[in-house]
Amino acid sequence: MAPKQLSSAKELIRRAKVLMVGAGGIGCELLKTLALSGFEDIHIIDMDTIEVSNLNRQFLFRQSHVGQSKAKVARDAVLRFRPNINITPHHDNVKDPHFNVDFFKQFSVVLNGLDNLDARRHVNRLCLAAEVPLVESGTTGFLGQVTVHVKGKTECYECQPKPAPKKYPVCTITSTPSKFIHCIVWAKELLFAKLFGDKTQDNDLNVHSSDTSSSSENLEDVFERKKDEDIEDYGRRIFDHVFGYNIEMALSNEDTWKNRDRPRPIYSKDTLPGKSIKHNGNISKNGSTDDTPSLSAMTSLGMRSPQDVWSLMENSKVFIEALKLFFTRREKDIGSLTFDKDDQLAVEFVTAAANIRASSFGIPLHSLFEAKGMAGNIVHAVATTNAVIAGLIVIEAIKVLQNETENYRMTYCLEYPNRNMLLMPVEPYEPNKSCYVCSKTPLSLEINTHRSKLRDFVEKIVKAKLGMHSPIIMHGSALLYEVGDDLEEDMVANYAANLEKVLYELPSQVSGGTTLTVEDMQQELVCSVNIKHRDEFDEEKEPDGMVLEGWSQPPPEEKKEANHTVSNAGTSISGGPVSKSSEVVEIITVEEELEAAPPKKRKLTTIIDRGAASPGGYSSIPNDTDNRGKVQVVDDDDEEDMVMLDGAPGVFDGDSDTSKKRKLV
């Protein structure tokens, strides 16, 4: 770069106002790199506080910072070595109303280092409305990606469908599990929730156990602890019910097991010693604890390594011990608990319960370390990958500031070299003409308008799949639903009443052929939904009782310089959280997501060999390169950003053992 150009670039960087969303694994590296690259006006948004598990990779944080705001501590840490720059932290949720389009308009570029799909979609829409360029990113292990999204010039973040949460029919979870992940879902979403969560919530566990002479009216919920019942007796009763009696009940349906291996009932008397598992230390009876996260059934039982695969007896001991600790040391929390991957006792209980159930169904047992990864949706992060991705983000941000559209690159970080390359640059794609977000293409919804309520449409479609947080729903000029703090009481009551009405009975009748307009004022997003009436749905394949379409897209046009052309398509709306229903349980795990995603090919434009003078700053890719690795971000409840290779040859080729990684060839 000529001295004059270099000086101009430095000035652009110095004067740029940058918004960083996320101050975690990628965010720490990104803030450091921005500061050392000459950026002097940086805003950071992050709602999280620092946890001990962050410290192995989020290098701006120390033990003394645990519990403090990530955004604020990151700012203070960077100002110690770059004291003359301006860093403004926001310890808030990026979806808060004050982070609106006007707020986004003040920035030169937005840089994402987020850990969930919903927030990514929200930021994408605000950037489109504010016409501010967005640089998106994600990492998992050795894999990573950086993509550039500029309104009207490149595809937006939502132009391509994202992996949907893996959903399992309840009949599989409760009756016929065949994989360990099924046992994890059962232990986490059903058993743990039933024992320690909200008792008023519906649950698909069989809660009744009685002899056939008892009337159904007199059946008791076996999960209710009897007055003055010994805690170990209660634990054994629960054990015998869920692992013994319920299995016997399932075996009574002979048709179910004609083509399946029959499970074996397991009772506590067969796996546990006579009575009372010995404790290392005393258990308090007052229901209090000084250090909840450190409570551990493993510690009480003298078990150490989370890498060990426990025997059936050891799992049974951990199950009873964990239950006893919950009811003696954390009694005040029972009734309001939800599973948390950072709650050691909860992880131990779920691991033990899943393993006992797996043993019953002839499924291989797993260690606590493996079970925690599945239950907590954890992909272990690699700090070096975060650093590489942060550097690539800054490179693309500088290109955006210089308006070097022709040099934008989507770059994928690979685990294994391909043609001696670990970084794979790809030219961005044009906006998808079928995208309802940036191209305003109408969506189509198949739904039973005589059975489905407006609430179903709002929760399962507008919020869960369209990602709108403050929706307005209109039929022509009739306003059917609206949310907002400034609404009159009678309007709030009217909209609440509408939610409970089936679509066909709304004041402005919704039936087949109707077009609804859905708008989110904060995101400044408007889309049209064409309603198609349909009477019946497959409960297993279409558990929501409705099907949203609108992401099917035309075949990609051929580019003359491209040697490898493939489809660039999705089929229907996916991604985003799906509302719980009585027919389906959902969970996201890396292994399951990789296995579930069908290979999709995308056109990789051959980069012309420009040598060291390449404007993109990358080595050339030989014309015979055939690497179709496409990394897609998926949701993750952990701090790490998760990505997945989509159709990369030789990496995940449909084999069921997706945890085995092979070199790209």
Side-chain angles (χ1 to χ4, degrees), residues 68-79:
Q68 299 181 41
S69 162
K70 285 187 176 182
K72 293 177 181 178
V73 172
R75 169 193 180 271
D76 295 342
V78 170
L79 287 181

Side-chain angles (χ1 to χ4, degrees), residues 266-277:
I266 299 174
Y267 288 92
S268 60
K269 62 183 177 60
D270 301 321
T271 63
L272 289 169
K275 184 83 190 247
S276 189
I277 303 164

Side-chain angles (χ1 to χ4, degrees), residues 138-162:
T139 67
T140 183
F142 296 103
L143 305 175
Q145 65 181 16
V146 173
T147 56
V148 184
H149 307 283
V150 181
K151 185 176 182 178
K153 296 180 180 179
T154 70
E155 64 182 12
C156 80
Y157 175 71
E158 296 177 78
C159 275
Q160 303 302 326
K162 303 299 181 288

Side-chain angles (χ1 to χ4, degrees), residues 615-646:
Y618 301 104
S619 302
S620 62
I621 301 177
N623 288 341
D624 61 346
T625 298
D626 188 14
N627 187 308
R628 303 185 186 94
K630 168 71 170 123
V631 185
Q632 290 193 346
V633 177
V634 296
D635 274 349
D636 182 21
D637 292 335
D638 195 28
E639 286 74 26
E640 300 89 23
D641 296 320
M642 294 169 61
V643 295
M644 67 188 255
L645 276 175
D646 184 15

